[in-house]
Amino acid sequence: MEARRILPTRDRINLVAVVAVVCLFAAMCDAIAQEGGPSSSFLERQRSLDRENQRKLQRDLPVDQRFQLDAGGWFNSYFFLFDDGENSSRTLRQNELRLWTSITADEGIHEGYARMRATYLDWNHGDSFTPNEDDLDGPNLERGWYQFDIARAVRRYGSEQFPMELKAKVGRDLVTIGTGYAIDLPLDHVMMQSEYKGFESTLILGRTPSSTENIDRSRPVAGQSERTFWIFEEKYKGFDSHEPFAYIAWQTDHTHEDPPNYLQEYEYDSAYIGWGSTGELVDNLRYSTEWVLERGNSFGDRRYLHSDDIKAWGFDQRLDYYFRHKCKPVISAEYMFASGDANRLGSPTNAEGGNINDHVDHSFVGFGFRDTGLSFSPRLSNLHAWRLGGSFRPLPEVEMTKELELGTDYYLYYKNKSVAAVSDGLADVQSGYLGWEMDYYANWRIFNDLSYTIRFGAFFPGSAFSDQTTRTFLLTGITW
């Protein structure tokens, strides 16, 4: 047994470059959301960064040994200084500890993983969104699952001619469907996955953990979400350079408001039909694309007898070009679209302040993830967003700084429906131009087990904001 597992070099580079920026937000989301009060844009920024963290922290367990037990963890210490449009400045210090253990047995037939998290938040006086300025959250179970490789077991103990791959999994883990535009969230779930002649089929039945952030911030007991998901996805892996996919997902809302509001219903039951592909168009030019149609039922503002029909859609296209150079430069471009509804004047996602005048809801509301910026970080609803960025390693031949990465991203934001609301309630003018943002970052793996990160973002509001004050966001911290 190892006291601490040393990750392969490539995995560790990816881990330290991302974890130091984003993994602290998971605990903070849970602690703050249940109290109510923080702005929607603040919660959405946490949600987006947490989605990035959880996706990058997924790891393949070793299957080349009959039995292996690993354990380890990491510690983060961060300092935040940011504007959210409501306070001129907020300051937060956070320390976070994660401990994990994994087991692989019988040459990969059995796999298991568990991860606990504890977080200590320390706000400056008057800066916290809740009455608690110093708060310890946890330890909590962040991930915990067991997977049984049925096909491997049959081949080992039964027929050598088993024609397909087949796995079963149960527990709490991140679920990403397609490229994650509509579905990318942790679920307590059961999964069956098979692969036959290049076709990978995945069936999932899951439920959101009770601390999951609610998409409807107007609902009493905001921050707690009880939703059941049925998901079926089909991928084709038989092509050399492309991996097309299609899926259908349903989610039903079982969240109960407390206290009840008898003149307003909040249920949001939706279905997503999506398709797209990932791969490489030409040498070094990678792409991902996803289209999503959303259908279902929602309730508009001050409605409790008759629901609305959801007819919304979203789209995402991303290109990344990797140059063949020792500095490893990468250029990335992305366009994100999520439909809006001109009758949603108060909120693109909430029931209160939601759809009025008709019974058709065109506002796209998903459970996925996309990077929409550090400072503004709008939710993917009633939105056009363009992103252009790049990164490189400036000193690859110097031993001490060969793992130093510098990068930047620029964003441009417009509404789909100029009169309608977006997730940031401070966009109080019926104008389509939301503004633009510039982000800069540096990630430096100093040693194998120590990394440093710093990120700065500035959002410049457009004509949709009566308050034209620039919002800034600064993060700096270490990961050990």
Side-chain angles (χ1 to χ4, degrees):
M1 173 177 176
E2 296 176 284
R4 175 176 54 84
R5 180 173 184 254
I6 301 299
L7 297 174
T9 300
R10 180 180 300 175
D11 292 344
R12 298 174 69 174
I13 292 173
N14 291 338
L15 179 69
V16 298
V18 176
V19 169
V21 180
V22 297
C23 65
L24 71 158
F25 284 103
M28 189 160 58
C29 284
D30 295 345
I32 295 177
Q34 293 182 11
E35 297 290 339
S39 66
S40 177
S41 61
F42 179 80
L43 289 176
E44 183 58 24
R45 181 171 63 234
Q46 298 175 34
R47 174 179 176 273
S48 297
L49 294 174
D50 181 48
R51 290 296 174 273
E52 179 183 350
N53 167 58
Q54 301 303 342
R55 187 174 68 251
K56 293 296 179 64
L57 287 177
Q58 299 309 295
R59 47 188 293 274
D60 295 327
L61 298 175
V63 298
D64 57 345
Q65 300 182 29
R66 184 172 179 84
F67 181 84
Q68 181 169 332
L69 179 65
D70 287 340
W74 63 89
F75 173 77
N76 305 304
S77 182
Y78 308 90
F79 174 81
F80 290 84
L81 179 64
F82 63 95
D83 303 326
D84 64 356
E86 297 181 356
N87 259 17
S88 59
S89 177
R90 296 182 190 268
T91 302
L92 168 68
R93 290 160 295 275
Q94 177 162 323
N95 296 302
E96 183 175 65
L97 178 66
R98 279 180 167 91
L99 299 176
W100 61 266
T101 184
S102 68
I103 184 173
T104 303
D106 209 1
E107 296 184 350
I109 293 176
H110 306 278
E111 298 182 40
Y113 179 75
R115 186 167 77 228
M116 304 296 293
R117 181 193 70 218
T119 304
Y120 181 72
L121 306 173
D122 178 19
W123 295 89
N124 274 9
H125 179 66
D127 286 353
S128 176
F129 290 101
T130 73
N132 297 325
E133 295 183 340
D134 302 301
D135 189 27
L136 175 64
D137 180 48
N140 300 313
L141 177 66
E142 186 176 40
R143 295 289 181 269
W145 52 264
Y146 164 74
Q147 180 171 281
F148 178 55
D149 193 323
I150 301 172
R152 191 186 292 261
V154 171
R155 293 191 188 104
R156 180 171 178 81
Y157 298 108
S159 172
E160 294 290 337
Q161 303 300 321
F162 197 71
M164 62 189 300
E165 300 298 323
L166 183 62
K167 296 180 180 180
K169 183 179 181 180
V170 60
R172 177 175 297 180
D173 202 4
L174 183 70
V175 173
T176 300
I177 303 301
T179 67
Y181 195 76
I183 306 291
D184 185 359
L185 78 167
L187 292 176
D188 296 328
H189 67 279
V190 177
M191 181 184 75
M192 293 293 295
Q193 188 174 76
S194 66
E195 185 173 344
Y196 181 67
K197 293 186 176 181
F199 288 94
E200 182 185 84
S201 304
T202 304
L203 178 63
I204 296 174
L205 171 60
R207 189 177 182 88
T208 54
S210 61
S211 59
T212 302
E213 172 199 337
N214 203 326
I215 59 173
D216 189 340
R217 296 294 302 164
S218 69
R219 190 176 205 156
V221 197
Q224 298 182 5
S225 181
E226 297 181 14
R227 299 177 184 272
T228 300
F229 284 78
W230 288 87
I231 302 169
F232 177 73
E233 181 184 32
E234 192 75 28
K235 289 183 179 179
Y236 183 67
K237 297 185 173 182
F239 299 129
D240 291 336
S241 302
H242 307 280
E243 190 174 284
F245 61 84
Y247 63 85
I248 183 169
W250 300 266
Q251 71 82 23
T252 54
D253 187 357
H254 304 285
T255 311
H256 300 286
E257 63 266 18
D258 185 18
N261 184 349
Y262 298 105
L263 299 180
Q264 176 69 65
E265 290 290 343
Y266 298 89
E267 282 75 15
Y268 192 92
D269 301 327
S270 53
Y272 304 89
I273 303 171
W275 65 93
S277 182
T278 61
E280 193 172 45
L281 294 174
V282 296
D283 287 347
N284 302 320
L285 180 59
R286 302 176 188 174
Y287 77 95
S288 68
T289 183
E290 182 170 345
W291 297 74
V292 186
L293 297 179
E294 183 187 3
R295 297 294 184 265
N297 300 102
S298 65
F299 280 89
D301 187 51
R302 289 171 289 181
R303 289 183 179 162
Y304 56 94
L305 296 177
H306 191 287
S307 64
D308 299 337
D309 294 327
I310 301 172
K311 295 182 179 180
W313 69 288
F315 170 73
D316 178 81
Q317 176 66 61
R318 174 170 176 163
L319 296 172
D320 298 283
Y321 189 79
Y322 295 79
F323 292 89
R324 295 178 178 175
H325 189 274
K326 60 184 179 182
C327 292
K328 298 182 180 180
V330 180
I331 294 179
S332 179
E334 186 173 13
Y335 168 64
M336 296 160 272
F337 169 79
S339 63
D341 193 310
N343 291 311
R344 277 186 168 269
L345 303 181
S347 169
T349 58
N350 295 350
E352 294 182 23
N355 194 38
I356 58 174
N357 296 331
D358 65 18
H359 288 281
V360 179
D361 186 356
H362 294 288
S363 186
F364 180 84
V365 179
F367 297 85
F369 162 78
R370 278 301 183 273
D371 178 6
T372 57
L374 286 172
S375 297
F376 184 32
S377 193
R379 192 179 183 95
L380 291 169
S381 190
N382 190 33
L383 185 70
H384 296 276
W386 293 264
R387 180 183 64 85
L388 180 64
S391 65
F392 73 107
R393 304 196 179 196
L395 300 169
E397 297 180 344
V398 179
E399 182 64 26
M400 189 64 182
T401 58
K402 67 180 182 179
E403 301 298 345
L404 172 64
E405 179 189 39
L406 303 179
T408 184
D409 286 298
Y410 283 77
Y411 302 83
L412 180 64
Y413 310 100
Y414 273 84
K415 295 180 183 178
N416 172 233
K417 301 295 183 181
S418 60
V419 298
V422 293
S423 59
D424 192 322
L426 298 179
D428 54 353
V429 179
Q430 293 185 348
S431 172
Y433 177 45
L434 291 167
W436 68 282
E437 177 171 332
M438 59 179 184
D439 293 348
Y440 300 94
Y441 61 89
N443 299 311
W444 183 18
R445 191 182 70 153
I446 304 172
F447 303 111
N448 284 340
D449 294 321
L450 180 67
S451 67
Y452 171 79
T453 188
I454 183 169
R455 289 206 171 190
F456 173 80
F459 170 63
F460 302 89
S463 55
F465 291 83
S466 58
D467 183 355
Q468 294 290 299
T469 304
T470 300
R471 301 185 199 175
T472 58
F473 176 93
L474 174 66
L475 175 152
T476 183
I478 60 171
T479 297
W480 174 62

